[in-house]
């Protein structure tokens, strides 16, 4: 992996990398990471930072040990976001680099116009040598518009901007699996997210964050589908970011599919929430994958879920394994009577469809 490949980077700093053993904001590590990022920018790299830690920073200020209710978390995030930004501003000021705060929610990515606005804003900031610092807008986010964790937010940001590499800084050395004796070992490289990999990731469980290894694997899936490399490295060890860029074997590297999806396809694949599933026969599957055709009702076997016209739906084979996503021209109610019929209009036009 030559370093010239990686010109636009997204670096995600997890709560564990920003928190000391007492559960307080670790300013020393924050400043150290900022200095490494500043060095990359001075080398001509474009870097977007996705940061956790707002709730931790706010809880410390408010004297709350661990906020439990949504209002408590939102209050802590509101206080912590300002505190966190002030520390980043001070850290990057030493290198005469201005910072900008970008707060996102799922609807900013799901809405095409807002998605383009966010991308244009980030592109302009990078051109002006500003460090964009992205976080989810926890103070207003409700379940319907929550992304939910900063691993997925970082991957969606990387996809949005068309980054070359996403680096996730965490409190472990990379992704671990177990051998036949049950002994954990570090996996240096992953080219495909298999069921075995998902199983090894387990369930979200971290004292300070909202993710865990499973959300990092979800982030890797987004990146790999979009043609973006991803690395998981230890956020406590100095110099690892540069080592990843130099092609050294540190942490775990996720190798993407060979081609980058063009911007609209990336948005279709991961910017929207799926609202249903259309199961198709082998003929329709072949027409979509091999011949780049639109989806017609004649090839549909089954429709699952209730969705409106214009919704993003999953397209699956006879075994219900997803292989594509697209924007449907019909609601689920309109589609049901058309299943298997010839002569009806396109269900999903090929320009609104992405093969995964």
């Amino acid at each position: 992996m030559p370093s010239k490949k990686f010109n636009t980077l997204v670096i995600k700093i997890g709560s564990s990398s920003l928190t000391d053993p007492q559960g307080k904001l670790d300013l020393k590590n924050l400043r150290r990471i900022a200095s490494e990022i500043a060095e990359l920018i001075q080398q001509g790299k474009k870097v977007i930072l996705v940061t956790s830690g707002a709730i931790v920073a706010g809880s410390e200020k408010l004297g709350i040990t661990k906020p439990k209710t949504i209002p408590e978390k939102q209050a802590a995030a509101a206080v912590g976001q300002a505190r966190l930004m002030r520390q980043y501003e001070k850290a990057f000021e030493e290198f005469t680099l201005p910072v900008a705060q970008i707060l996102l929610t799922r609807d900013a990515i799901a809405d095409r116009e807002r998605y383009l606005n966010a991308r244009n804003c980030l592109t302009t900031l990078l051109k002006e040598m500003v460090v964009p610092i992205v976080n989810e807008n926890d103070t207003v986010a409700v379940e319907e518009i929550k992304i939910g964790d900063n691993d997925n937010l970082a991957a969606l940001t990387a996809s949005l901007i068309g980054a070359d590499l996403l680096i996730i800084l965490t409190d472990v050395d990379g992704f671990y699996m177990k051998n036949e004796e049950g002994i954990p070992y570090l996996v240096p490289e992953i080219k495909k997210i298999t069921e075995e990999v998902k199983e090894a990731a387990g369930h979200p469980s971290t004292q300070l964050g909202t993710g865990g290894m499973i959300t990092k694997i979800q982030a890797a899936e987004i990146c790999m589908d979009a043609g973006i490399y991803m690395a998981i490295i230890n956020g406590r060890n100095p110099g690892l970011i540069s080592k990843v860029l130099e092609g050294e074997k540190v942490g775990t590297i996720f190798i993407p599919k060979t081609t980058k999806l063009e911007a609209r396809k990336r948005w279709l694949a991961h910017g929207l929430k799926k609202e249903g599933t259309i199961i198709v026969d082998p003929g329709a599957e072949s027409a979509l994958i091999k011949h780049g055709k639109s989806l017609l009702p004649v090839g549909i076997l089954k429709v699952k879920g209730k969705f409106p016209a214009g919704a993003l739906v999953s397209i699956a084979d006879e075994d219900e394994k997803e292989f594509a996503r697209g924007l449907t021209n019909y609601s689920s109610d309109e589609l049901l009577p058309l299943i298997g019929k010839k002569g009806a209009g396109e269900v999903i036009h090929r320009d609104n469809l992405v093969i995964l």
Side-chain angles (χ1 to χ4, degrees):
M1 294 188 306
S3 58
K4 66 177 181 180
K5 278 190 176 188
F6 306 128
N7 294 317
T8 303
L9 319 173
V10 175
I11 297 174
K12 183 260 178 175
I13 309 179
S15 297
S16 56
S17 300
L18 290 174
T19 312
D20 66 18
Q22 286 73 47
K24 295 183 177 181
L25 199 57
D26 190 338
L27 297 177
K28 186 179 177 184
N29 207 41
L30 183 151
R31 286 193 286 264
R32 193 266 305 166
I33 294 168
S35 71
E36 291 190 20
I37 290 170
E39 194 177 325
L40 295 178
I41 294 168
Q42 287 160 355
Q43 291 168 12
K45 307 290 185 190
K46 294 174 180 174
V47 184
I48 295 171
L49 189 57
V50 175
T51 185
S52 298
I55 291 175
V56 168
S59 299
E60 183 187 343
K61 189 76 175 174
L62 294 171
I64 305 169
T65 311
K66 176 85 174 170
K68 295 177 180 66
T69 66
I70 288 173
E72 278 182 354
K73 287 178 182 177
Q74 290 176 325
V79 173
Q81 196 66 248
R83 185 167 179 239
L84 201 54
M85 283 303 298
R86 189 165 69 249
Q87 295 304 332
Y88 277 121
E89 189 172 29
K90 284 165 71 175
F92 282 107
E93 235 169 34
E94 289 185 34
F95 306 94
T96 63
L97 289 170
V99 300
Q101 183 180 39
I102 310 287
L103 297 175
L104 294 175
T105 48
R106 169 71 73 171
D107 59 341
I109 292 169
D111 180 88
R112 181 68 178 161
E113 189 177 348
R114 293 181 69 188
Y115 177 94
L116 292 172
N117 286 342
R119 192 175 74 190
N120 292 338
C121 176
L122 287 168
T123 302
T124 304
L125 290 169
L126 292 172
K127 198 188 294 182
E128 296 296 330
M129 297 277 287
V130 175
V131 185
I133 299 177
V134 178
N135 201 350
E136 183 156 20
N137 196 351
D138 292 316
T139 56
V140 299
V142 291
E143 199 56 44
E144 290 77 14
I145 59 169
K146 274 179 77 67
I147 292 162
D149 66 88
N150 280 344
D151 294 325
N152 276 284
L153 175 64
L156 290 167
T157 302
S159 178
L160 180 146
I161 200 69
D164 302 308
L165 171 69
L166 165 62
I167 298 176
I168 293 183
L169 304 181
T170 186
D171 57 353
V172 292
D173 292 332
F175 184 75
Y176 285 83
M177 295 181 75
K178 289 181 180 178
N179 62 18
E180 290 176 0
E181 287 78 40
I183 299 166
Y185 67 94
L186 179 68
V187 183
E189 192 176 280
I190 293 177
K191 291 183 177 176
K192 188 177 180 184
I193 307 295
T194 62
E195 288 305 315
E196 190 184 5
V197 168
K198 289 180 183 178
E199 196 176 315
H203 301 285
S205 58
T206 168
Q207 183 65 28
L208 298 160
T210 55
M213 200 50 74
I214 192 71
T215 56
K216 290 167 182 56
I217 295 303
Q218 290 165 358
E221 284 187 290
I222 293 171
C223 287
M224 291 166 84
D225 280 347
I228 300 166
Y229 285 80
M230 189 183 107
I232 298 174
I233 60 174
N234 196 315
R236 293 280 167 187
N237 296 347
L240 291 190
I241 296 172
S242 293
K243 286 181 179 178
V244 170
L245 298 182
E246 288 158 10
E248 289 190 37
K249 288 192 174 181
V250 292
T252 300
I253 306 293
F254 294 82
I255 311 293
K257 296 176 180 177
T258 49
T259 57
K260 272 195 179 186
L261 290 170
E262 47 113 340
R264 179 172 168 78
K265 299 283 188 179
R266 289 200 307 270
W267 174 71
L268 281 176
H270 299 294
L272 297 171
K273 272 191 174 179
K274 291 179 291 181
E275 296 187 52
T277 301
I278 295 174
I279 296 156
V280 301
D281 64 25
E285 183 183 357
S286 177
L288 296 178
I289 295 174
K290 294 179 181 174
H291 306 294
K293 300 288 187 182
S294 299
L295 178 63
L296 301 174
V298 68
I300 295 175
L301 297 173
K302 191 177 178 184
V303 174
K304 296 179 78 173
K306 194 168 178 64
F307 48 83
L312 180 77
V313 294
S314 171
I315 304 168
D317 62 18
E318 286 182 304
D319 298 322
E320 301 196 10
K321 185 179 179 185
E322 182 186 41
F323 67 87
R325 289 177 193 172
L327 300 177
T328 173
N329 294 326
Y330 296 94
S331 70
S332 51
D333 289 341
E334 291 168 333
L335 197 50
L336 287 170
L338 299 176
I339 290 175
K341 290 193 175 174
K342 291 182 179 179
E346 293 168 335
V347 177
I348 299 175
H349 190 276
R350 64 185 181 184
D351 291 345
N352 290 328
L353 187 144
V354 58
I355 305 298
L356 302 175

